[in-house]
């Protein structure tokens, strides 16, 4: 998952109380809150960064908004933004070959 595609994890929120989130304790990245605030419709979007942290995931991001930042946690590969696309895809292919 890369950039805004990481927002797909928002749909995996548990519906029942007491059930752990499927990505609980996983290390993930996606657009930072700062990156999302620069978008024209920022107020209508939920922050991926906040969501990951709220549900028990580990969130990291690059130092700069345009930084290439990829996080690999076992078989999950996430990229912070479009600048991370190539490296994220290459690492995903490598995880498939394990």
């Amino acid at each position: 998952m890369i950039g805004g595609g990481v927002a797909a994890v928002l749909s995996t929120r548990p519906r029942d109380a007491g059930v752990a989130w499927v990505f609980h304790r996983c290390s993930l990245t996606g657009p930072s809150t700062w990156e999302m605030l620069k978008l024209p419709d920022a107020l209508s979007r939920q922050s991926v960064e906040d969501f990951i942290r709220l549900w028990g995931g580990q969130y990291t991001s690059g130092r700069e908004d345009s930084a290439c930042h990829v996080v690999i946690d076992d078989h999950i590969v996430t990229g912070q933004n479009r600048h991370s696309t190539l490296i994220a895809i290459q690492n995903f292919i490598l995880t498939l070959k394990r």
Side-chain angles (χ1 to χ4, degrees):
M1 296 180 281
I2 301 165
V6 176
V9 302
L10 276 61
S11 67
T12 62
R13 182 175 51 117
R15 304 247 186 265
D16 300 324
V19 176
W21 183 43
V22 68
F23 295 107
H24 180 75
R25 297 187 180 165
C26 290
S27 295
L28 305 166
T29 191
S32 67
T33 300
W34 182 249
E35 284 176 295
M36 292 187 72
L37 285 173
K38 293 179 180 180
L39 299 174
D41 58 346
L43 296 178
S44 66
R45 297 179 183 219
Q46 182 173 7
S47 166
V48 173
E49 176 180 353
D50 292 341
F51 181 89
I52 290 171
R53 289 187 171 142
L54 175 70
W55 288 96
Q58 307 296 317
Y59 177 87
T60 61
S61 64
R63 291 185 182 191
E64 299 175 19
D65 294 344
S66 61
C68 176
H69 183 74
V70 174
V71 174
I72 304 164
D73 186 337
D74 193 26
H75 60 281
I76 302 168
V77 179
T78 52
Q80 181 175 339
N81 51 40
R82 62 185 177 89
H83 304 287
S84 309
T85 304
L86 180 60
I87 295 174
I89 291 171
Q90 289 171 334
N91 279 284
F92 177 71
I93 291 169
L94 289 174
T95 61
L96 294 176
K97 293 182 178 182
R98 284 196 261 165

